[in-house]
Amino acid sequence: DQQVKQNSPSLSVQEGRISILNCDYTNSMFDYFLWYKKYPAEGPTFLISISSIKDKNEDGRFTVFLNKSAKHLSLHIVPSQPGDSAVYFCAAQRNNAGNMLTFGGGTRLMVKP
Amino acid sequence: DTAVSQTPKYLVTQMGNDKSIKCEQNLGHDTMYWYKQDSKKFLKIMFSYNNKELIINETVPNRFSPKSPDKAHLNLHINSLELGDSAVYFCASSLRTYEQYFGPGTRLTVT
């Protein structure tokens, strides 16, 4: 039973436009959410996070939005760059659960020049 | 100045063998983890460990065991390897509840 889902396996965007990656979760006990970026043959790299007490967090070109009532979060990348092409994983964490992350299945983003 | 390192990067072995994957972090983190990425590319937590507590994902077979000689290392031992153990294994570390930093992964192939 997947508690964190990324329903779009891939996304193609033109350079300079906005990329929007979506993530849904089912477990209401999750209280911290993270986005990771992964290149082939490398480990995931932390990108941005958001606590469940907030609805938005911004870091440069990256913004994460959280809608708790809908159990939905999204990552916006503006403007998208070719170097952003990678697989993006959404992850969720429960307090008092050993900080273990539950990951979504990933979305492959391709930014075309 | 690698933050989280794993050895070996590739491991090919036969069914029934016992193998270990080593992980080291030089970030001064207090918690380390092992994740498995299967053939469908899903990343799943296996263990979370700090010097006080080991938390095991209940789906992990007891053939898998983490061993930590000190705070900077968390090695993964696998006994009686099976074909289904073939995957990429990632080590990660964090400081308390903050973001986790991942190693480059070890691709295990069981033949």
Side-chain angles (χ1 to χ4, degrees):
Chain A
D1 176 35
Q2 264 189 282
Q3 298 185 58
V4 179
K5 291 184 181 179
Q6 294 176 252
N7 291 319
S8 299
S10 64
L11 174 67
S12 184
V13 170
Q14 204 68 33
E15 180 179 6
R17 307 293 288 266
I18 185 171
S19 296
I20 300 177
L21 296 99
N22 294 303
C23 178
D24 297 294
Y25 62 96
T26 58
N27 191 337
S28 56
M29 298 297 290
F30 289 139
D31 58 4
Y32 196 65
F33 303 89
L34 307 91
W35 284 94
Y36 281 82
K37 175 179 177 179
K38 187 182 181 304
Y39 293 117
E42 294 184 10
T45 302
F46 169 74
L47 204 54
I48 192 169
S49 62
I50 188 167
S51 165
S52 59
I53 62 174
K54 295 186 176 181
D55 55 18
K56 177 182 175 181
N57 188 26
E58 192 171 350
D59 183 2
R61 296 186 298 115
F62 302 92
T63 303
V64 56
F65 295 92
L66 175 62
N67 182 334
K68 279 185 65 177
S69 60
K71 294 192 176 68
H72 177 85
L73 62 154
S74 61
L75 174 68
H76 293 212
I77 306 174
V78 182
S80 302
Q81 300 174 354
D84 296 330
S85 298
V87 177
Y88 289 78
F89 289 96
C90 168
Q93 190 177 84
R94 272 189 303 140
N95 197 11
N96 300 323
N99 308 325
M100 298 193 292
L101 295 176
T102 301
F103 279 89
T107 296
R108 180 177 299 279
L109 173 66
M110 292 163 284
V111 180
K112 298 178 181 177
Chain B
D1 59 343
T2 304
V4 182
S5 60
Q6 296 179 226
T7 53
K9 190 165 178 65
Y10 300 96
L11 180 56
V12 181
T13 188
Q14 292 184 328
M15 284 176 55
N17 284 348
D18 302 337
K19 289 293 178 185
S20 295
I21 305 172
K22 295 185 177 181
C23 177
E24 176 181 3
Q25 55 94 5
N26 62 6
L27 298 166
H29 288 170
D30 58 2
T31 307
M32 296 183 73
Y33 314 81
W34 278 104
Y35 289 84
K36 177 181 180 181
Q37 186 177 34
D38 60 24
S39 57
K40 295 184 179 178
K41 305 303 181 186
F42 286 107
L43 268 163
K44 293 184 180 175
I45 183 69
M46 300 177 71
F47 305 100
S48 164
Y49 180 79
N50 63 25
N51 60 356
K52 298 177 184 176
E53 190 177 23
L54 170 65
I55 298 180
I56 304 170
N57 184 326
E58 66 273 8
T59 65
V60 175
N62 57 16
R63 298 181 294 104
F64 290 79
S65 58
K67 291 199 170 38
S68 179
D70 55 57
K71 281 181 64 174
H73 296 83
L74 184 66
N75 303 325
L76 182 64
H77 295 267
I78 316 170
N79 294 326
S80 303
L81 278 155
E82 300 177 358
L83 291 176
D85 298 332
S86 295
V88 181
Y89 292 84
F90 289 99
C91 176
S93 71
S94 72
L95 187 61
R96 293 184 290 276
T97 61
Y98 296 106
E99 330 41 273
Q100 296 178 23
Y101 291 80
F102 284 76
T106 295
R107 181 175 293 277
L108 171 65
T109 303
V110 182
T111 60

